[in-house]
Amino acid sequence: MPENSLRSQESYFGNSVAIDGNTAIVGAPGVTGGGATGTGAAHILEFDGTKWHNAYLLLADDGEIGDRFGTSVSIGDDWAIIGASGDDSNKGSVYVFKRALVNGQPRWQQHVKFDVASAGDNFGHSVSYSSGTFVVGAPKDDVNGFNSGSIYVFNYQSNNWTQIEKFTAFDGANSDEFGGSVSIYADIIAVGADADDDDGSFSGSVYI
């Protein structure tokens, strides 16, 4: 597959990436859809044993100008988690897609959307999935001061995704942007706060 075969002007293809086995997902939050700039998209790429090919294009069912769907992506266990940090004037949201058989063929379908944060929080700026749990960063949350940041944890149980936790830094302060990056594996979550000033301006920190 030519490396530029999925790119278009200002699509920001590759802004976010994730891989699980022979399936990869690539965010393109600048993609224009329905005449609205920056609605965003996510590409599902699959490896057939010889080469990678573009298998599916995922779009939000309610995408609007500036949503930036595809800001963040994560994939695993037939789930795709996609952040749209610009949704609803930067409140942000996260979409969950499920891969399932439709008429005997695998298809990706939107399963649920979460928009649980407050105005300007940039919920969905970062996402990470592992074994039935995903984490979402909201680095502009003001819970511990202006742009101090937070993360949300969601778990799949009884055939539904449910928010089970919201965390903030124990020493959260103005402009730390806790949740700027997140990663989860098994029972461990790592959270980046790259604007934390503990060791000097923008020295940054990571919380486990």
Side-chain angles (χ1 to χ4, degrees):
M1 182 181 67
E3 68 174 44
N4 63 350
S5 62
L6 306 179
R7 301 190 326 218
S8 59
Q9 184 173 342
E10 297 184 0
S11 65
Y12 293 95
F13 176 80
N15 182 83
S16 55
V17 295
I19 193 167
D20 179 51
N22 289 333
T23 304
I25 184 169
V26 181
V31 162
T32 296
T37 301
T39 53
H43 295 265
I44 297 291
L45 310 181
E46 293 184 349
F47 186 65
D48 62 11
T50 303
K51 63 181 180 180
W52 288 90
H53 61 95
N54 190 27
Y56 303 97
L57 178 66
L58 305 185
L59 302 170
D61 63 3
D62 59 350
E64 295 181 347
I65 187 170
D67 283 356
R68 296 189 59 77
F69 175 88
T71 297
S72 58
V73 296
S74 191
I75 193 169
D77 302 328
D78 293 324
W79 295 105
I81 316 300
I82 304 171
S85 63
D87 191 12
D88 197 11
S89 299
N90 296 321
K91 175 181 178 181
S93 61
V94 165
Y95 296 77
V96 180
F97 284 75
K98 174 70 172 175
R99 178 166 49 191
L101 291 178
V102 178
N103 297 323
Q105 298 296 319
R107 295 288 185 269
W108 288 91
Q109 296 180 321
Q110 186 173 315
H111 182 76
V112 65
K113 174 185 177 181
F114 291 102
D115 55 355
V116 298
S118 300
D121 283 357
N122 277 166
F123 176 81
H125 178 82
S126 56
V127 297
S128 182
Y129 170 91
S130 176
S131 302
T133 302
F134 70 86
V135 184
V136 181
K140 302 292 187 180
D141 192 345
D142 297 331
V143 63
N144 285 330
F146 179 72
N147 289 351
S148 54
S150 65
I151 66 166
Y152 295 73
V153 182
F154 297 81
N155 183 253
Y156 190 66
Q157 47 191 283
S158 302
N159 297 318
N160 287 301
W161 284 100
T162 303
Q163 180 187 329
I164 58 172
E165 295 282 1
K166 176 181 178 179
F167 291 109
T168 60
F170 70 92
D171 59 349
N174 286 342
S175 302
D176 281 356
E177 298 193 7
F178 174 86
S181 58
V182 296
S183 188
I184 181 173
Y185 178 74
D187 295 328
I188 300 175
I189 296 172
V191 185
D194 66 347
D196 191 359
D197 294 334
D198 284 0
D199 292 315
S201 182
F202 298 104
S203 54
S205 61
V206 171
Y207 298 75
I208 308 295

